[in-house]
Amino acid sequence: GVHFNDPKYPQQWHLNNRRSPGRDINVTGVWERNVTGRGVTVVVVDDGVEHTIQDIAPNYSPEGSYDLNSNDPDPMPHPDLENGNHHGTRCAGEIAAVPNNSFCAVGVAFGSRIAGIRVLDGPLTDSMEAVAFNKHYQINDIYSCSWGPDDDGKTVDGPHQLGKAALQHGVIAGRQGFGSIFVVASGNGGQHNDNCNYDGYANSIYTVTIGAVDEEGRMPFYAEECASMLAVTFSGGDKMLRSIVTTDWDLQKGTGCTEGHTGTSAAAPLAAGMIALMLQVRPCLTWRDVQHIIVFTATRYEDRHADWITNEAGFSHSHQHGFGLLNAWRLVNAAKIWTSVPYLASYVSPVLKENKAIPLSARPLEVLWNVSRMDLDMSGLKTLEHVAVTVSITHPRRGSLEVKLFCPSGMMSLIGAPRSLDSDPNGFNDWTFSTVRCWGERAKGTYRLVIRDVGDETSQAGVLRQWQLTLYGSVWSPVDIRDRQRLLESAMSGKYLHDGFTLPCPPGLNIPEEDGYTITPNTLKTLVLIGCFTVFWTIYYTLEVYLSQRNVAFRPICRSGPCHWPQRSQKAKEEGTELESMPLCSSQDPGGVGLESEGSPTTSRLHAPDLLDQGDWSLSQSRGALDVPQLLPPDLLQGKEAQMC
Amino acid sequence: LVGAGGPRAQGPRGLSWAVRLDGPEGEGAEESLERRADALAQATGLMNAGRIGELQGHYLLVQPAGHRQARQVKAIRQQVEAVLARHEAVRWHSEQRLLKRTKR
């Protein structure tokens, strides 16, 4: 029942699919109940956002924006040779394009505010990423990042020391302490046999890793699998299938609208938009609440390639699709009634030194670690969320390794998939893989790490040097999880999705931002220029006055009789351009004695300019004032005169 | 030149190091850390480009602008690494390298 006059809205199948009903994010029902992302700010961390475009301008948030490439507050994209810096604007349009403006398209959370942090259009370092992840983190609620390390099927990279610290700081202190929400795209390395567990942003427990499916719900050719993927949503597929329609920039060849946005870049912002809808109905959701709601509400669907496995807690997960498709109706109804999960508990095993060879045969190397109840008593950890394994493995060809982790329930996670293009001889050095496939399962029990060498060359064997297991979870018991699952299902009718029902929401913390006002280089340069300009003109005018003084034959004969003043040229006088210069005091010695000139007492009659002739009371008054020497008693005068001199 | 919100992280052309400083907690901690960063910058011949975003105790030290020979750069790098490695206030340091990131 929702109609917009935006010309491309009918083509936005991901919002409302008329051709294949159900193949969309199921958001119109949420909009009908006025849930549009109001009060939430999403920031697109990318190559800039053209916020002047009419689909974005009304929702643009300058307070949440910044340009780290040029170091100024305006994240406008800069046209480049490849006509490439439209990426951030397209992502922004998916999230918050304004409806009913007869222009292009509509955003998922068209009531939210959209900001931009321009950071990809130039050299990027760890410290710049760290600044970006916490930039205006009390204003920006959700950080949408549709980028990452190379998806070339042979890179192992992720946030470095500062980037990691900033992600952690963001979930601790961001968004008034509820935690910034970091949404990352899982990667486009499908054609290179890549796997997003080799991407530290996707692997991070602090990020929501989003994959893509095409309009038919299948994994597109470019998409990657991984055990740390939380969920998927729609994007473009191969040529026969439709891509995502969204706002585009109108610089260079841009028209302001595109029907060709695709890749996991297009999926992540849709997820960010849906999370914005969740935060409107429940602003106090923590970063972990958001992850839990995604796990509880993502929907499994029929796809025989997906290899769905249902874990001990009843959650179905696929390496291709995570816990399934994001569904805006389910996400928002769950958010409406969600009460916060218990604090994050964790358990870290000792560093387990193995130094065991990985057999060249099909037989794998298997190592175990048992986590006892006693191990968990301290943290209270009962059920799992993320499980991370940090490994150091030497091997002459890294891509030949296959690493699997089995949780106590027997749930298998392919955490290190073989990669045919990865011939790196340096193996893994303290690389952390992670999996979400054991979410909700009991933490206690034996964990099995299984490493196989699937290479075909008979090269030298790899060696597992050491590994370390880290469990993240909470005190929730399996019963608590089942209860929550039931509670959510009861809310899916939408009966709570009205303003009459609102659970109490604790206020956030008031955390000052470190953005103490400092001068940006542009401002500083302007000030310096103004300063130079001022100094120059001051010097010029001083010289001019001095020189004109000198030219004026100024020799007053004040020794006898009244001072003669240079004849003011009639012309100059008429034009009022003559220069007035006069001594401020007579030659009278302040001590009363001295070089008194004869005759009438010499006074420094202040020849006020001609305005005196335009008589009025005040002027005659000032005339009197001007002739003040006659009026004041000498002693006072002297003092007065002395002061004046 | 201090840009809004921390290090002048505009595209680093020259050498730069991120450092994690040890310092007092509580009132005045920020000023004390800033002073230590300034002193460290002086000791290394770099410029204190300010705190790195919202990360307490993390500072960016950058090489003053100016073109240098490769040999000089190498010498500067070694000298800075030596100073940072033995400085008692430095808990951690890392030379900032360009990261390769691709849009997806």
Side-chain angles (χ1 to χ4, degrees), chain A residues 62 73 114 188 219 250 259 280 301 339 381 386 388 390 440 443 488 491 572 574 601 618 625 629:
Chain A
I114 191 78
N188 295 347
M219 181 171 159
D250 60 7
E259 299 184 23
Q280 175 188 328
Y301 61 93
T339 50
L381 178 56
H386 300 264
T390 304
L488 293 193
E574 273 149 23
S618 60

Side-chain angles (χ1 to χ4, degrees), chain A residues 4 55 64 96 115 119 158 167 211 244 250 363 370 450 457 465 496 629:
Chain A
F4 299 119
D55 241 358
V119 71
L167 287 172
I244 298 296
D250 60 7
R363 189 173 50 81
N370 182 56
V450 178
E457 299 111 48
R465 294 289 176 212
Y496 300 111

Side-chain angles (χ1 to χ4, degrees), chain A residues 47 124 148 185 188 265 515 519, chain B residues 2 5 96 99 101-104:
Chain A
D47 56 12
L124 179 61
N188 295 347
S265 279
D515 256 2
I519 296 177
Chain B
V2 183
Q96 293 303 284
L99 302 177
R101 298 293 177 254
T102 44
K103 303 168 195 173
R104 291 176 161 170

Side-chain angles (χ1 to χ4, degrees), chain A residues 202-264:
Chain A
N203 251 335
S204 169
I205 69 167
Y206 303 123
T207 62
V208 174
T209 303
I210 297 296
V213 289
D214 61 27
E215 188 176 359
E216 291 172 353
R218 276 203 286 273
M219 181 171 159
F221 65 91
Y222 56 77
E224 297 178 17
E225 298 189 11
C226 68
S228 55
M229 190 185 304
L230 265 190
V232 290
T233 189
F234 292 104
S235 182
D238 60 29
K239 289 185 182 46
M240 306 310 290
L241 293 165
R242 295 189 282 183
S243 292
I244 298 296
V245 176
T246 178
T247 310
D248 195 3
W249 76 352
D250 60 7
L251 307 173
Q252 291 179 316
K253 298 174 207 155
T255 62
C257 205
T258 177
E259 299 184 23
H261 196 34
T262 183
T264 50

